[in-house]
Amino acid sequence: ESQKVIKTYTPRYAQYFKIHYYDQFKIVESGKKPIVDRFMVADGPLNCTSSLFKFTANTKRFIATSTTHVSFLSVLNMENRLVGFQGINYLYNSKFQGQKIQDIHYQMNAEELLSLSPDLVMAYSANLAGQKRINELRKLKIPVVFNYDFEEVHPLARAEWMIFSAVFFNQDSIMQKYFTKIESSYNDLKKQALAFKKKNVLVGDIQNGKWTTCGGESDLAILIRDAGGNLLLKSTSRETQTISLEKVLKITEKADVWLTQNTWENLVPLSKDSRYKKFTSVPAYNNTRLLNKSGFNDYWERGVSRPDLLLADISEVIHKNGSHSLTWYKELK
Amino acid sequence: MITFKNLSVGFDNKSILANLSGELKRGDLIALMGINGVGKSCFLKTISGLHPAIDGDINLNERSFTRITPAEIAKKLAVVLTDKIHADFLRVHELIALGRSPYTNFWGDFLEEDGQAVEEIVGLLNIKDLNQRLFSDLSDGQKQKVLLARALVQTPDYLFLDEPTTYLDIPSKIELMKLLKFVSREKHTGILFSTHDLSLIEKEVDQIWLIDSAGVLHKKSPDEMNRSGLLAKNFNI
Amino acid sequence: MITFKNLSVGFDNKSILANLSGELKRGDLIALMGINGVGKSCFLKTISGLHPAIDGDINLNERSFTRITPAEIAKKLAVVLTDKIHADFLRVHELIALGRSPYTNFWGDFLEEDGQAVEEIVGLLNIKDLNQRLFSDLSDGQKQKVLLARALVQTPDYLFLDEPTTYLDIPSKIELMKLLKFVSREKHTGILFSTHDLSLIEKEVDQIWLIDSAGVLHKKSPDEMNRSGLLAKNFNI
Amino acid sequence: MNTRPTIALLSFLAITILLSAILFVYGEAGFNTQDQLILWQLRFPKIMVALLAGGMLASSGLLLQVFFQNPLAGPDLLGINAGACLGVAFAIMGASFLPVEWQGIGQALMAMAGALSVFFLLAFLVQKNLSRISLIILGLLIASFTSSFISVLVNMTPSLQVKNFLVWSMGSFQGLTIEDVPYFCGLAALGIVFLALMPKKLNQFIIGENYARSMGMNVQAFKFLLILVCSFLVASVTAYCGPIGFIGIIAPHLARIFIKRSDIRLVMPAVFLVGSSLALFTELILIFTSEYSLATNSILGLIGAPVIALYLYKERRVL
Amino acid sequence: MNTRPTIALLSFLAITILLSAILFVYGEAGFNTQDQLILWQLRFPKIMVALLAGGMLASSGLLLQVFFQNPLAGPDLLGINAGACLGVAFAIMGASFLPVEWQGIGQALMAMAGALSVFFLLAFLVQKNLSRISLIILGLLIASFTSSFISVLVNMTPSLQVKNFLVWSMGSFQGLTIEDVPYFCGLAALGIVFLALMPKKLNQFIIGENYARSMGMNVQAFKFLLILVCSFLVASVTAYCGPIGFIGIIAPHLARIFIKRSDIRLVMPAVFLVGSSLALFTELILIFTSEYSLATNSILGLIGAPVIALYLYKERRVL
Ligand SMILES: Nc1ncnc2c1ncn2[C@@H]1O[C@H](COP(=O)(O)OP(=O)(O)OP(=O)(O)O)[C@@H](O)[C@H]1O
Ligand SMILES: Nc1ncnc2c1ncn2[C@@H]1O[C@H](COP(=O)(O)OP(=O)(O)OP(=O)(O)O)[C@@H](O)[C@H]1O
Ligand SMILES: [Mg+2]
Ligand SMILES: [Mg+2]
């Protein structure tokens, strides 16, 4: 630890990790203050001692707990490294289907994890209780690490976490290049969008008699803004908002596009509910084009690694240039 | 007429009393006696259809109990048991009124005759002043009277009472016996009641049915009973 | 000695009987009489400390009830009420054994003397054959005997019984009176019990306490009571 | 003394009407008596549903509390509620398991089907002449089996469907559109007819099974009917409004404490009205707390519970 | 007849020991008797916790069922469970509300604090000499207030913290490390000492408050003690294992049906052992169903409930 840092990767978008490069090893910091986890990623003998937990940089047996943790494997063509997953029927990428992947328990049973002898277990959590559990598991020689991509808001920030994941596979430099590519294509799209006329975008639908919509600072809100849209019913929160229907029916702006957040196949359910009458003329879309056979959505898998494609989808939905064929979104008819 | 033949009564398919036969006619006033635990309560519950018989037949006017609907039986039979009633906010007049429920309409509304029946019995039992009280706030004797009233307003053809004089004070006991006699004579109600109070009933009842400790049912008039010495033998008196 | 002075008893701060005074000495056998609803049960519960007095003092050996711990009182007093007991799987011997609980150790383990006390009472009440039965499966009379046994094995100095002869058959009633007399004489237990059975008790008790319908407590020996005509007047007999 | 129940009933009625009126003219959009859309498409369904659903839940709670002589009994007692939830869980989350033609079946039908299967189980037990205590324990087991089943289903389902189900299961009287209202009113009307069958019998039942039988009740048939009625009421409400537990348990206690009678013919309407008022009351609170996104059940617990507790505590002598 | 309780007790003990032994040598990693890490760091804590927590929950259920004479009573009855949950909810989700120095306070401590506040409320009510029925209803209200409070907290918290809380609230006997075990055992030991105070008094209480008083019981003090003991047991378990409801309600019924006695001195150990066995049994099932991610509570409902229901149904004569 006393050695000199050669260089540090400070993410451009992501806020909750940092990678310090040393001669023989890397030290990674991840987490949200005050709960910051420091650990070492290295292989081979070190010429120093450290109290930090040591991960291998050459992960062969990988256990993940969220679809957002595995999309980078597809980028690197390393799908075969995944040996355990929480909820394998959530996975969309067909390569995973052919593999033997153990379905692991939601509550992270230590013995089950041990029995898979993993090199890396990637989990998600966000507080002391989680950090305490990590330390317990590490004491049992289970190499667990938290991925905080969920805590990030900006779509590019989430994608940037692939660099974090790649460290454990010695692929961080490749991933940095890949990310740079995605970033520039995202920013290109964003620049193009400035030229278009702003459109009003309505997000959400009626749940239990309340309009449920995305937060005004959420990832979707950012995508809509970057795609040249003006989010209606905008709040200042990241979290999903529920708004009284009485207020929704009173809004004066006219919606140009409507992104529903449900699993409708067509407009039939909508026509059955007269409370949607105000919006029946608005073109409606949702993001359920790519579902696996259990109904799980690729949006939460590859969507995370390709924010540029997401933005392209939304741009197309909003402006209908016809320049891009939709990946995840589809129009409801 | 209620007749029972070769009746076995008991719990959980184990019979306590077997081979009981007899009949209760309208207008009869009969006391059922026997030592503690001999099976009086069980017999009364069985013959009033509240407890399944283990074996044998019970007929009401020549028709087997099993063929008559509960609603029909209810217009013919009424009972008073020793069960305690736990009901909050239950007022005495409501409880007594329930006795008329076999006769009332779908909602349980009272007609004039229902009101009269209640009025009469409440008067005879001298419990008019309890009418608005909560049943749960009565003394044991008061409760007993109210329960008797509920059974009597049911204007049954047959009445089965398990130790009806329990908790009653001396004048009430005497009154009750008079009332039972009146009901059996004037309303032609057949009454079978268990009791341990020989001196109280001796003069009033038509018959004493004695279940001896071997489980045999002896049916005799009080005089015959006394002469036979069965009572003395059975009760060691 | 239990003394009470200017005692008012009742429910919810409304007094039913007021200004009661008297005393119960060890060895006394006293019958409490009065018409239904006059307040006998309420008085018994109050004087045995189960029900709060509305006014007045109750003293046990010159010490106010309020100053004595429940555990101490329990070694001096026992009661039998008319409350029904609802307990599944409760065996008779377990229930009777509870009567010894004021004397047993932390776990409720029986010493030899506890066993003897139980043995004796069970023998006297003639309920040895019920020992292993479930309490819930007993007949009313059998239950009553078991409850009496529970109170008696508590070997109290004072015993309060609310209508203890209820449900008992004739021989058992007589036996019970003999037993109460025996206990009061031999074990110097002061016994106060309510009853409606004048003929049964007349010969046995030392005193009759009569609560008349005005709520006045008259204390006289049975002879005096008869001569005074109070009973006849009160009960219309 | 005799007028107390009448006064209580009339006040409950007045409160119910008052609350309905307020909710009709006032909402999240403020005072508004003009906008037909808001009045008839939003407020009217909400009021009707709260009114009826609250009453139905409360009445079913009353039936169960009297029948089981248990103050803890409520709509979720015998697993009827859980059965209905399971049906809805299938309907909402079934997309991933069920063949396509099944998915069209509406939520309400599925809720009914779920409740019905639990009902058949219970009816089977009743027919076996189980004691009430056996029935209550077996019902408890059915309920916990069913709710575990639901949580397993939740575990296996895509998050969006799960979210829909979770939102539904938070309970709401606002989920119905004006198009649904006639169906719901139909069910409610049938439910009220069912309820009308009960008072006389229930009155007889209060003084015990033996006496009830001696007054001409077919106890077996009565038990069957009671469970049928409760299942129907609970399933109807759950299908449209999600599982709402609190009203069913507390309204009967409240109403009885006010009315101080045991005659079910008086108590039942009072309980119904108290249930309605509680439901309407939560809707009123929802208007003022709309920025916090509270669920109906949360409001009942958070605001209803302390208020009721204080009242009961003050009135503790009569409990 | 007299040997039945002894035989039942010994069989429960045997089953408990057998299950513990199986769980010690067999786990998700298969048969394994060598790996000290797995045996002592993983399996041993899990077995100890299941053993003790199951027993503690079951015993507290017994106390409450006997006290309230209500077969539905269980650890979640009076809101003690909910109180403990609220404490943990603050501990886990508090990050966003609480000042930093508060966040360090452990989950167990917060659970205790939550349960304690509910306990004080209950103790206050006991001291006011409320009837048991008032107590049960007010307890119900406290419970629903507290759980609504939790759901509001869940509503207001970023999703990831919520996830931690939800995982915790699914219940698990595996959350403890070998370092936690001594603390938990300490609490359990204290709990068992507490439990040992109860049998004699509870036996007296069975035949009714009046008779209990006449046998020297200070009924007020007893109620206080009973609620204290239950709170302590439930809070200890909830703090470490999350809310686990089913065992507490069903184990007492099961044990009593086997043992067919009412003497708490016999029933209590039987109930404890049945609770332990149930807990160990779920751990066993968990090993075989790990790919389905079932929570402990789900397994109890999904597998435990039908098995127990079938048994009770067969034995219905004795219920
Ligand atoms: N819980 C109660 N609340 C209010 N009043 C009550 C309550 N219990 C009894 N009472 C009334 O108090 C009076 C005395 O009751 P108590 O039970 O003491 O009478 P009793 O002399 O024992 O009569 P009985 O011979 O019928 O047993 C009665 O008028 C009764 O109605
Ligand atoms: N539920 C039950 N299960 C099994 N046996 C019972 C049950 N109830 C009563 N018994 C037994 O059946 C016998 C008859 O009981 P029953 O109550 O009919 O007696 P009884 O003649 O009414 O006595 P008593 O004069 O004491 O009221 C008694 O020996 C009693 O122990
Ligand atoms: Mg009898
Ligand atoms: Mg009395």
Side-chain angles (χ1 to χ4, degrees), chain A residues 86 102-107 109-112 114-115 124-129 136 139-140 150-151 239, chain E residues 27-29 37-38 41-43 92 103 158 160-161 163-164 167 170-172 174 177 286 290-291 293-294:
Chain A
Q86 149 67 65
Q102 168 115 12
D103 211 336
I104 64 156
H105 197 281
Y106 198 57
Q107 290 174 315
N109 179 310
E111 186 168 345
E112 188 183 33
L114 269 182
S115 70
Y124 56 98
S125 177
N127 55 25
L128 273 179
E136 287 164 16
K139 228 178 264 167
L140 298 170
F150 248 89
E151 285 282 297
E239 305 295 322
Chain E
E28 286 87 353
L37 187 81
I38 287 189
Q41 307 259 338
L42 296 183
R43 293 182 183 168
I92 295 189
Q103 292 176 27
L160 274 183
Q161 266 107 320
K163 192 217 149 198
N164 281 317
V167 170
M170 287 164 75
S172 164
Q174 300 179 355
T177 62
L286 265 177
S290 70
E291 71 244 58
S293 287
L294 298 175

Side-chain angles (χ1 to χ4, degrees), chain E residues 3-14:
Chain E
T3 55
R4 186 183 173 103
T6 325
I7 293 174
L9 260 176
L10 287 178
S11 350
F12 292 148
L13 189 63

Side-chain angles (χ1 to χ4, degrees), chain A residues 111, chain E residues 11-27 31-33 38-40 42-55 272-285 287:
Chain A
E111 186 168 345
Chain E
S11 350
F12 292 148
L13 189 63
I15 293 173
T16 310
I17 293 173
L18 186 72
L19 283 169
S20 308
I22 295 177
L23 283 170
F24 194 62
V25 297
Y26 186 74
F31 272 103
N32 194 326
T33 53
I38 287 189
L39 288 186
W40 295 104
L42 296 183
R43 293 182 183 168
F44 176 71
K46 162 174 103 177
I47 294 170
M48 283 305 286
V49 172
L51 206 71
L52 293 171
F272 196 99
L273 288 171
V274 169
S276 300
S277 306
L278 278 174
L280 292 167
F281 172 75
T282 48
E283 284 304 314
L284 198 60
I285 301 286
I287 294 177

Side-chain angles (χ1 to χ4, degrees), chain D residues 76-93:
Chain D
D76 40 10
L77 178 67
L78 296 174
I80 306 166
N81 211 338
C85 285
L86 185 62
V88 174
F90 267 118
I92 296 187
M93 308 195 286

Side-chain angles (χ1 to χ4, degrees), chain B residues 140, chain C residues 41 162-163:
Chain B
D140 296 311
Chain C
S41 301
D162 198 1
E163 312 210 15

